[in-house]
Amino acid sequence: AHTSPFKTFLNFRNGLLLLLKNLNGSELAFVIFIRLVLDGMAAIYFLIIKGNPRMFWAVIKAHFSFYFHFRKIWRKRGIIQKPNRKTLHGMIYRSILMQYFIKKHKHFTEIN
């Protein structure tokens, strides 16, 4: 299936913004760092393996858009985050990729 560079841009940018807005402080820096590294690997994959510079630039533009919107979302995050939030129901603290591809869990209920 062919995905447009604009859709790729939105997926990468919105994923980063979602993490910034919703993760708690203790995990935020680590998860964002890992996500940026994985996004960089995806961009290189698009350019070198797939030979698609438009998709490569879509990821790069998504990162610049994320940096541009960072302060605005950080302020919004203060409204969303609750000071004494201890647990999140329905939040998975494991790699979905690991669960799906390595452990072959195809349904949410199969994840411990």
Side-chain angles (χ1 to χ4, degrees), residues 21-77:
K21 191 164 67 171
N22 293 297
L23 287 177
N24 68 40
S26 64
E27 61 193 358
L28 179 65
F30 177 74
V31 172
I32 292 286
F33 174 76
I34 295 299
R35 175 62 191 265
L36 292 173
V37 169
L38 292 174
D39 285 3
M41 291 170 62
I44 292 168
Y45 170 80
F46 287 136
L47 184 62
I48 297 185
I49 306 296
K50 289 296 215 179
N52 192 335
R54 292 177 66 215
M55 297 294 268
F56 169 82
W57 284 112
V59 176
I60 300 304
K61 287 177 188 177
H63 279 227
F64 279 109
S65 181
F66 170 70
Y67 304 139
F68 179 78
H69 289 97
F70 189 92
R71 288 182 64 192
K72 175 182 161 189
I73 298 303
W74 188 262
R75 284 191 298 270
K76 187 181 278 190
R77 164 191 168 77

